[in-house]
Amino acid sequence: MKTDHRREKRSQTYAKVILLDSNTPGYLRDLSKKGCKISLLNPVPVMKDDVVLFKIIPADENNIPAFKLSLKVLWTRYDSLYFSIGGTVILPEGKESKESLERIYNYYAEINR
């Protein structure tokens, strides 16, 4: 049985993402202020402790612009459809990206109540 060691709740999300190094599309599946899970349509060669850069493309209806985010990989998994990566979010440097991350976090936290 798996044990969840997260200290904060993650909100389920459905934003599109693109892993920038390999141009691999996928989806942001859950998000907290410290971590996230992305599910990709194709496997990519990443290992624990790698840092991956990806672009989050929120749905048009939430009026959040696309922005880049980095993730320090803690785990990878395969399932029947996706190659998933989970890890720790590395806070973006730019003010606009920080604001977009905060807005998308708040948006999904609100709809998951």
Side-chain angles (χ1 to χ4, degrees):
M1 180 182 335
K2 292 182 184 178
T3 303
D4 190 347
H5 297 288
R6 295 182 189 134
R7 288 188 167 83
E8 59 183 17
K9 183 181 179 212
R10 288 191 178 183
S11 297
Q12 291 184 344
T13 61
Y14 301 99
K16 296 176 187 173
V17 300
I18 298 205
L19 198 65
L20 295 176
D21 286 347
S22 61
N23 208 31
T24 303
Y27 299 95
L28 183 65
R29 291 294 187 200
D30 66 36
L31 176 68
S32 73
K33 292 197 177 194
K34 295 188 179 185
C36 73
K37 172 185 170 184
I38 58 175
S39 293
L40 304 169
L41 300 177
N42 297 307
V44 294
V46 296
M47 298 177 68
K48 186 176 185 219
D49 295 326
D50 286 350
V51 174
V52 295
L53 179 64
F54 62 101
K55 184 180 215 178
I56 297 175
I57 307 166
D60 291 338
E61 65 270 11
N62 61 25
N63 293 321
I64 300 170
F67 63 100
K68 295 177 185 173
L69 195 59
S70 295
L71 178 74
K72 182 176 180 184
V73 177
L74 296 179
W75 56 264
T76 61
R77 290 190 190 113
Y78 289 94
D79 65 25
S80 59
L81 293 175
Y82 297 105
F83 175 74
S84 296
I85 301 170
T88 305
V89 169
I90 299 170
L91 292 178
E93 304 240 345
K95 181 181 175 187
E96 289 178 18
S97 291
K98 285 180 185 174
E99 288 173 356
S100 293
L101 177 60
E102 185 69 22
R103 285 177 63 196
I104 200 167
Y105 175 76
N106 290 337
Y107 174 81
Y108 286 115
E110 182 66 29
I111 65 171
N112 280 288
R113 283 185 186 197

